[in-house]
């Protein structure tokens, strides 16, 4: 039997501020000094995670020597693999379990749709699996749910409790019968622990067993630690134990206290907190540990701060000397300051720096900021699989399932770097994709179905037709409607993804190369092997399932050309428990981020959890507090937070608030220490601000005012562009001189322009059928025409219903107005083209128009009518800017409209069909010098306006008289609006 390794106490701790693997290995090496080499090999060390096992192994090898026999390092969460564990059935695959549970949840939501939408079934299944694990880890069987007195809770919780009870009762049978006797992971670990306990009780191990680095926060781990603590040669080494905390306070610690888990563990094994001995060296900054211990004391005893303040004031200089507090205005400034701190650390040879944060947005922002120095940090969390190139590609493919793909979705997929093959094939693919995108944009095609793709290929070279056939064939399997068994859906997804990645005749395996591709293939393969779970997926559910699964799987960066710098590390909370650095940055200390607020349990309420004896939701806050208290004990620490996140004010973390309150309660010494921390933080912010600050002030650029040669200036404009010439001449320059026209966005939502086209088409047919008199069935005829035109012209089902309803509400008002207009005259032209030529200094200029409708009045004059889908403009705006109808009157009186003889225009009507109120609004403009329009005056004004642009020195000034100060136009980016907006040139109007 091996001689005892420990004398006296077998409860030890590593203080906050030390890297646990290094401290543990150093302490164990000291205890093994002078012993036979075989003694080290007989020691068994149980650590909390596989990462901890790797780090502890590495540290032991460094401290015991390269030729030493190392202790056996095992993982607490893999007790079923322990040599002393009984032989057990395998654990059920987490994916298969989630899929089976999701089908049960689907049936539950079908009967209780008010609980959650069907799309939430995968998330609810994950939460249900976590609850089953929690019950099993706590040693609770299905009968534990019978303890809940449902009469004390709302009906919603009674229903969910009944459902959870049914699952708990029948789930073991499902595992036994349909999963070949597999066990839930936690149930398997619990049974392994029971077997180990029985074996060790009968015959205790004759070698040291050490549980190192665990706090006992998980019920199973706490039971294991209690078992080891009772062994003759068992020992516990607790991480981040607060030796400054009064042992008398341990029973009063709430679940959100950093020492709550260890206090419960010590109470469980009947140990005195004062008996926990140091394992290795002292803390690097014991004064800081004492300060943090006081700051995080339970709220009911913070009156002790008054008694501790005098003694604390004496140690504050030492406690805060290496501590800085960065209070950034926003997340961007916080990320930039953190990146600068990390970059500055590299100026010290061999120095390391670690950013510790649970805020993944901050971590990504810091990584992006470090790229300005071509630095890549070693991010322990990696990236979610769904944010890697293969993950994004698979999610884009899944979005196409269920029918003809949206134009934007197809083009986004086709542009992905993994689509279309490699080399020359990829270049050809991108040329075809760009051409197809232009076709879809210019024709406002919302769905890129095979018909649309073939219309694009028509008239193009044969290679374009072959490419169109390839992409149509590749995505065709996704268009099949109907639910599929999950394995079949995964197989279809893989087949389509590989075909698209290969390109015409390429290698389908290119999608799965590199580490992130291998992880994506593993996930798809798991789904394909999930046959027999009974899980059925509707086409749209495949994308949701992928999102859910990929968000929970992280992969390391996979760019061999840019390997991470090992001196720069980004650590999450768990990783930070095991590592430290020369400079430690605690980032994202914002309430709701660190600590994160406990989420709602969809299955059990707080009182129900309390009745079952399950951990309070605040347990996670306690673990996060332990991580904070451990990390802030390092020699050099910089704490950062953002005052605003996403434009909204953000509260500082509760731990920062407590620390600041404690310091301010220590009088002048505390205020001085706090100001010193903030001053050091402000210096980092000042340096970060200088990175983006130009060496000298940059005045606003002049407002664009191009003066093209006279020969390039337009000699023809429609009346609809005259308002643009008045408001934003630069837009006319870009459109008519440069020949640029804005492209519609892909998947452009239907807008007022589309409604106007449909309205004009409906009214043209209606007026053609009722040109002589209004029939008795006018309403039915109007709605029949509307149905036919909407079905022909509107491919958006929801918009068809909305626009039909709007037309229906406006029908009576519209018919009454048409009947009244028929009493005054008869339509002589619908959507008729017209033009006149004006004599200008530089030569003839043509003004064109398309009039919606021209009526010949019984008096012999003309009425010009314009239909709109909103409220018509006010007369004041018409006189100043909206000159379309008055200029159409100028053309009409000159006989410029086809088949409409010249005659005096007596009135202009703007008919706004709104579908609200009475149904619309009509605005009638009268003729005359003192009225709303006067064609001779309109002609003279137009000639004066156009003549100015016949001067080569007269500019096309950008945004000369914009309708809205903060509005945007299609050419504002070309005019580089942000470089001059707000300058003096804008204020004086150009």
């Amino acid at each position: 039997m091996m001689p005892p390794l420990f004398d006296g106490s077998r409860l030890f701790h590593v203080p906050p501020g030390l890297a646990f693997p290094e401290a543990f290995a150093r302490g164990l090496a000291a205890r093994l000094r002078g012993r036979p080499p075989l003694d080290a090999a007989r020691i068994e060390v149980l650590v909390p995670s596989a990462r901890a096992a790797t780090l502890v192994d590495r540290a032991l090898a460094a401290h015991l020597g390269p030729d030493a026999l190392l202790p056996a390092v095992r993982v607490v969460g893999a007790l079923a693999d322990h040599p002393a564990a009984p032989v057990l059935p395998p654990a059920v695959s987490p994916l298969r379990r989630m899929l089976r549970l999701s089908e049960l949840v689907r049936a539950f939501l079908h009967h209780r749709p008010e609980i959650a939408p069907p799309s939430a079934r995968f998330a609810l299944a994950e939460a249900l699996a976590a609850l089953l694990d929690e019950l099993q880890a706590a040693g609770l069987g299905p009968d534990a749910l019978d303890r809940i007195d449902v009469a004390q809770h709302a009906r919603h919780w009674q229903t969910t409790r009944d459902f959870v009870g049914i699952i708990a009762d029948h789930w073991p049978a499902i595992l036994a019968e349909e999963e070949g006797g597999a066990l839930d992971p936690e149930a398997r670990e619990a049974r392994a622990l029971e077997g180990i306990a029985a074996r060790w009780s009968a015959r205790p191990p004759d070698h040291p067993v050490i549980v190192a680095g665990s706090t006992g926060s998980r019920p199973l781990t706490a039971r294991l630690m209690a078992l080891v603590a009772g062994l003759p040669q068992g020992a516990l080494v607790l991480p981040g134990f607060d030796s400054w905390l009064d042992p008398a306070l341990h029973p009063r610690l709430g679940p959100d206290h950093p020492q709550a888990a260890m206090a419960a563990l010590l109470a469980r094994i009947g140990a005195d907190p004062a008996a926990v001995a140091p394992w290795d060296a002292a803390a690097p900054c014991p004064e800081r540990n004492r300060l943090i211990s006081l700051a995080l004391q339970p709220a009911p005893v913070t009156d002790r701060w008054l008694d501790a303040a005098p003694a604390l004031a004496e140690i504050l200089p030492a406690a805060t000397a290496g501590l800085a507090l960065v209070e950034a205005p926003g997340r961007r400034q916080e990320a930039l300051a953190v990146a600068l701190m990390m970059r500055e650390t590299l100026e010290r040879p061999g120095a390391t720096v670690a950013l510790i944060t649970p805020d993944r947005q901050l971590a990504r922002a810091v990584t992006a900021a470090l790229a300005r120095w071509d630095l890549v940090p070693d991010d322990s969390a990696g990236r979610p699989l769904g944010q890697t190139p293969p993950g994004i590609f698979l999610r884009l493919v899944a979005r196409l399932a269920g029918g003809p793909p949206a134009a934007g979705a197809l083009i986004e997929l086709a542009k992905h770097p993994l689509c279309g093959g490699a080399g020359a094939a990829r270049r050809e693919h991108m040329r075809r994709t760009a051409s197809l995108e232009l076709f879809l944009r210019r024709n406002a095609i919302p769905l890129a179905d095979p018909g649309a793709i073939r219309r694009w290929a028509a008239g193009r070279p044969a290679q374009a037709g072959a490419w169109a056939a390839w992409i149509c064939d590749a995505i065709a399997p996704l268009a099949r409607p109907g639910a599929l068994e999950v394995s079949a859906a995964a197989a279809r997804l893989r087949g389509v993804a590989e075909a698209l990645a290969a390109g015409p005749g390429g290698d389908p395996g290119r999608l799965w190369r590199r580490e992130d591709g291998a992880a994506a293939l593993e996930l798809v393969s798991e789904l394909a092997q999930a046959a027999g779970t009974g899980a059925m997926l509707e086409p749209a559910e495949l994308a949701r399932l992928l999102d859910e699964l990929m968000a929970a799987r992280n992969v390391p960066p996979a760019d061999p050309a840019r390997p991470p710098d090992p001196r720069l590390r980004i650590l999450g909370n768990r990783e930070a428990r095991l590592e430290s650095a020369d400079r430690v940055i605690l980032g994202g200390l914002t309430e709701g981020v660190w600590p994160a607020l406990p989420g709602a349990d969809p299955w059990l309420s707080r009182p129900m959890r309390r009745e079952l004896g399950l951990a309070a939701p605040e347990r996670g806050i306690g673990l996060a507090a332990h991580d904070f208290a451990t990390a802030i004990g390092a020699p050099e620490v910089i704490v950062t937070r953002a005052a605003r996140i996403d434009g909204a004010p953000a509260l500082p973390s509760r731990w920062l608030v407590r620390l600041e309150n404690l310091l301010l309660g220590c009088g002048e010494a505390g205020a001085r220490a706090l100001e010193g921390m903030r001053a050091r933080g402000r210096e980092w912010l000042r340096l970060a601000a200088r990175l983006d600050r130009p060496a000298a002030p940059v005045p606003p650029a002049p407002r664009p005012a191009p003066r093209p040669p006279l020969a390039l200036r337009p000699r023809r404009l429609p009346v609809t562009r005259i308002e643009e010439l008045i408001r934003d001449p630069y837009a006319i320059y870009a459109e008519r001189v440069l020949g640029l026209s804005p492209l519609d966005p892909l998947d452009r939502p239907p807008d007022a322009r589309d409604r106007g086209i449909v309205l004009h088409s409906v009214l043209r047919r209606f007026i053609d059928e009722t040109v002589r008199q209004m029939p008795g069935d006018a309403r039915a005829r109007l709605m029949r025409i509307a149905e036919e035109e909407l079905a022909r012209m509107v491919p958006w089902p929801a918009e068809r219903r909305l626009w039909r309803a709007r037309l229906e509400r406006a029908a009576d008002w519209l018919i009454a107005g048409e009947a009244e207009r028929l009493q005054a005259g008869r339509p002589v032209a619908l959507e008729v083209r017209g033009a006149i030529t004006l004599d200008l200094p530089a030569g003839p200029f043509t003004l064109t128009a398309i009039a919606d409708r021209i009526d010949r009045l019984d008096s012999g004059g003309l009425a010009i009518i314009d239909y709109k889908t909103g409220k018509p403009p006010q007369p004041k705006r018409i006189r100043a800017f909206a000159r379309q109808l008055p200029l159409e009157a100028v053309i009409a009186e000159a006989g410029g409209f086809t088949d409409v003889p010249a005659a005096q225009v007596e009135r202009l009507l703007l008919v706004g069909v709104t579908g609200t109120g009475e149904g619309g609004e009509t605005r009638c403009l009268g003729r005359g010098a003192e009225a709303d329009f006067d064609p001779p005056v309109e002609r003279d004004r137009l000639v004066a306006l156009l003549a100015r642009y016949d001067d080569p020195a007269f500019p096309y000034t950008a945004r000369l008289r914009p309708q809205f100060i903060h509005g945007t136009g299609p050419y504002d980016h070309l005019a580089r609006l942000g470089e001059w907006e707000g300058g003096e040139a804008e204020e004086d109007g150009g």
Side-chain angles (χ1 to χ4, degrees):
M1 186 173 185
M2 177 178 171
L5 186 63
F6 310 109
D7 297 326
S9 173
R10 287 180 286 112
L11 294 176
F12 304 95
H13 76 88
V14 171
L18 290 177
F20 186 86
E22 288 294 320
F24 175 76
R26 191 166 50 241
L28 187 58
R31 287 167 172 79
L32 289 171
R33 196 169 291 121
R35 285 176 172 264
L38 285 176
D39 282 6
R42 299 185 64 190
I43 297 173
E44 182 178 348
V45 181
L46 296 169
V47 295
S49 64
R51 182 181 178 87
T54 301
L55 295 175
V56 168
D57 253 335
R58 190 182 303 161
L60 287 171
H63 284 276
L64 295 178
D67 300 326
L69 297 173
L70 299 180
V73 181
R74 310 184 196 282
V75 178
V76 169
L79 293 179
D81 299 328
H82 194 280
V87 177
L88 295 169
V92 64
S93 158
L95 178 58
R96 292 182 66 87
R97 178 172 69 163
M98 188 272 280
L99 291 172
R100 284 197 180 279
L101 290 175
S102 72
E103 287 302 304
L104 299 175
V105 172
R106 185 217 291 265
F108 172 62
L109 295 180
H110 177 73
H111 293 288
R112 294 301 304 271
E114 73 277 6
I115 300 294
S119 60
R121 68 180 179 118
F122 299 119
L124 289 176
E126 289 280 15
L128 185 56
L131 177 59
L132 289 174
D133 283 342
E134 195 173 2
L135 290 169
Q136 293 162 355
L140 299 175
D143 58 336
L145 295 170
D146 296 334
R147 303 178 199 164
I148 301 176
D149 182 5
V150 294
Q152 303 293 324
H153 305 283
R155 180 174 298 180
H156 162 75
W157 293 114
Q158 296 176 31
T159 303
T160 55
R161 178 255 174 247
D162 292 342
F163 175 70
V164 173
I166 293 171
I167 296 299
D169 286 337
H170 293 84
W171 182 245
I174 294 174
L175 290 177
E177 297 170 9
E178 301 182 26
E179 290 294 333
L183 299 174
D184 283 310
E186 288 294 330
R188 189 168 185 260
E189 291 299 304
R191 286 176 58 174
L193 179 57
E194 291 170 3
I196 294 171
R199 185 167 178 176
W200 282 356
S201 297
R203 186 177 179 183
D206 60 355
H207 59 271
V209 180
I210 307 170
V211 180
S214 292
T215 62
S217 59
R218 292 178 63 239
L220 266 177
T221 306
R223 289 158 58 190
L224 173 66
M225 295 175 77
L227 172 65
V228 170
L231 296 176
Q233 295 198 62
L236 307 180
V237 183
L238 304 176
F241 183 76
D242 183 2
S243 57
W244 294 99
L245 185 64
D246 185 350
L249 293 179
H250 274 231
R252 304 179 66 178
L253 300 180
D256 58 348
H257 191 273
Q259 301 295 307
M262 287 184 283
L265 173 68
L266 294 176
R268 178 178 191 144
I269 63 178
D272 183 357
V276 182
W279 172 259
D280 183 45
C285 187
E287 297 87 359
R288 174 115 31 90
N289 291 348
R290 183 180 177 185
L291 172 66
I292 298 301
S293 175
L294 272 171
L296 301 186
Q297 278 190 347
V301 297
T302 48
D303 57 327
R304 296 189 177 194
W305 287 2
L306 296 175
D307 299 330
L312 186 61
E314 297 177 5
I315 66 168
L316 284 181
T320 60
L323 195 58
L325 175 58
V326 174
E327 298 173 308
R331 177 172 275 156
R332 180 182 177 279
Q333 294 89 337
E334 180 186 12
L336 189 56
V338 170
L340 184 62
M341 299 167 200
M342 299 180 79
R343 171 64 183 85
E344 194 271 344
T345 307
L346 301 185
E347 297 297 315
R348 295 180 268 169
T352 59
V353 58
L355 165 63
I356 300 172
T357 181
D359 187 347
R360 294 307 304 163
Q361 290 189 31
L362 175 62
R364 288 192 289 270
V366 170
T367 300
L370 285 169
R372 70 167 62 206
W373 298 292
D374 199 27
L375 293 173
V376 180
D378 183 3
D379 191 343
S380 65
R383 284 186 297 171
L385 178 57
Q387 295 178 13
T388 64
I392 294 171
F393 184 72
L394 287 175
R395 291 166 59 207
L396 290 174
V397 172
R399 282 171 51 193
L400 302 187
L410 179 66
I411 295 300
E412 187 178 6
L413 172 62
K415 285 183 174 181
H416 191 281
L418 288 173
C419 188
R426 167 71 181 172
R427 291 190 291 273
E428 184 64 23
H429 166 78
M430 287 304 295
R431 282 195 290 271
R432 303 297 182 198
T433 299
S435 176
L436 175 61
E437 178 184 3
L438 199 60
F439 173 79
L440 296 173
R441 286 178 181 271
R442 284 179 171 166
N443 293 278
I445 298 175
L447 297 177
D449 55 19
I453 297 175
R454 292 191 186 100
R455 287 199 302 276
W456 162 80
R460 286 181 167 82
Q463 295 90 336
W467 180 86
W470 163 75
I471 200 166
C472 288
D473 291 344
I475 65 175
L478 295 174
R480 297 168 193 156
L484 282 178
E485 205 269 340
V486 65
S487 59
R492 186 173 71 176
L493 172 69
R494 178 174 179 174
V496 173
E498 288 182 342
L500 288 171
D507 175 20
R510 65 187 294 266
L511 177 58
W512 315 118
R513 292 175 189 155
R514 303 202 318 187
E515 197 165 355
D516 48 8
L521 178 59
E522 180 183 5
L523 174 59
V524 174
S525 300
E526 287 181 25
L527 284 170
Q529 295 165 8
T533 59
M536 302 295 291
L537 293 179
E538 295 292 339
E541 289 185 310
L542 178 59
R544 284 198 291 269
L545 178 60
L546 283 181
D547 291 344
E548 192 80 27
L549 297 176
M550 288 184 174
R553 298 193 181 203
N554 285 356
V555 296
D559 187 356
R562 300 184 68 217
D565 191 325
R567 298 170 296 171
L568 307 173
R569 283 174 288 171
I570 299 179
L571 305 173
N573 292 26
R574 291 186 177 182
E575 295 80 9
R577 300 170 191 173
L578 304 168
E579 300 185 50
S580 189
D582 299 311
R583 171 179 284 166
V584 173
I585 304 166
L586 305 183
L589 263 295
T590 302
E591 192 68 14
V593 176
W594 197 8
L597 300 180
D601 186 337
W603 300 113
L604 297 178
S605 66
R606 284 173 177 266
M608 294 164 74
R609 293 179 62 87
R610 189 164 52 248
E611 288 183 53
L612 289 172
L614 297 178
E618 287 76 16
R619 180 179 72 98
I621 295 179
L623 294 176
H626 179 264
D627 298 333
F628 168 77
T630 300
I632 203 172
E636 183 185 1
V637 178
I638 304 170
V639 178
T640 74
R641 76 174 188 91
R644 299 182 73 86
I645 295 179
D646 297 331
L651 297 175
S653 170
R654 62 187 68 187
W655 309 317
L656 284 185
V657 173
R658 279 175 155 264
L659 179 59
E660 293 174 11
N661 289 342
L662 175 58
L663 290 174
L664 293 175
C666 291
E668 184 178 345
R672 190 163 51 247
L674 180 58
E675 176 55 30
M677 292 163 52
R678 285 176 166 157
R680 290 186 284 274
R682 286 195 296 270
E683 180 62 16
W684 285 114
L685 288 173
R686 185 186 67 81
L687 292 173
R690 288 183 59 185
L691 289 175
D692 293 332
R693 186 181 302 151
V698 179
R703 183 197 300 259
R707 296 171 173 81
L710 195 58
L712 299 179
R713 300 192 177 206
R715 307 307 302 169
R716 183 185 186 91
L717 279 178
V719 293
T720 53
R721 303 302 290 154
I722 297 301
E723 179 174 0
E724 195 71 30
L725 182 65
I726 297 170
R727 292 190 180 277
D728 188 5
Y730 185 89
I732 299 298
Y733 162 78
E735 176 187 305
R736 301 286 168 157
V737 178
L738 300 183
L740 302 175
S741 57
L743 291 173
D744 284 333
L746 289 168
D747 300 336
R748 175 179 64 82
D751 55 18
R753 176 180 55 179
D754 297 299
R755 290 196 300 271
I757 293 173
V758 172
L759 176 67
H760 284 81
S761 181
V762 170
L763 291 181
R764 174 173 184 140
R765 285 186 55 188
F766 180 72
I767 294 168
D768 277 341
E769 294 185 13
T770 60
V771 69
R772 299 197 176 276
Q773 64 178 0
M774 194 61 61
D777 64 343
R779 181 183 175 86
R781 189 175 299 195
L782 175 64
M783 295 314 301
R784 173 182 56 78
I785 294 171
E787 289 280 7
E788 294 171 356
E789 293 302 303
L790 286 168
R792 181 177 68 88
M793 302 179 66
V794 183
W796 304 281
E799 292 299 324
R800 278 202 298 270
R801 290 192 292 271
L802 290 173
W803 294 0
R804 185 193 185 285
R806 180 174 291 189
L807 278 170
E808 194 165 19
R809 289 193 297 268
D812 293 337
W813 173 84
L814 192 57
I815 291 169
E818 290 301 316
E820 183 178 343
R821 286 185 278 278
L822 285 177
Q823 305 243 338
R826 290 286 181 275
V828 294
L830 297 175
E831 296 185 13
V832 59
R833 295 181 178 274
I836 59 170
T837 300
L838 304 173
D839 292 326
L840 297 180
F845 187 98
T846 302
L847 182 70
T848 65
I850 300 178
D852 288 351
R853 171 178 169 180
I854 300 178
D855 282 10
R856 178 75 65 182
L857 300 178
D858 293 343
S859 60
L862 299 177
I864 301 178
I865 304 170
D866 188 50
Y867 295 99
K868 296 189 176 299
T869 56
K871 284 191 173 184
Q874 298 292 332
K876 184 177 180 181
R877 181 186 159 193
I878 294 172
R879 286 192 292 270
F881 300 106
R883 310 276 280 281
Q884 176 183 346
L885 275 184
L887 291 177
E888 287 181 6
V890 172
I891 296 174
E893 293 197 352
F897 282 107
T898 304
D899 297 330
V900 180
Q904 180 173 289
V905 177
E906 296 184 7
R907 71 180 72 158
L908 304 175
L909 276 80
L910 291 100
V911 181
V913 182
T914 62
T916 60
E918 296 181 354
E921 181 179 345
T922 301
R923 181 155 290 122
C924 182
L925 306 180
R927 178 193 177 95
E930 302 299 326
D932 298 308
F933 76 100
D934 187 353
V937 173
E938 292 295 335
R939 182 187 182 103
D940 292 343
R941 290 177 63 195
L942 177 63
V943 168
L945 172 67
L946 297 175
R948 299 170 71 186
Y949 290 92
D950 275 2
D951 179 358
F954 195 79
Y956 288 84
T957 307
R959 290 175 63 88
L960 190 62
R961 297 179 183 87
Q963 183 175 1
F964 303 106
I965 296 297
H966 300 293
T968 56
Y971 300 101
D972 285 350
H973 63 295
L974 186 67
R976 306 176 73 91
L977 177 65
E979 295 184 10
W980 54 269
E981 187 179 29
E984 292 182 2
E986 183 185 17
E987 294 174 3
D988 63 14

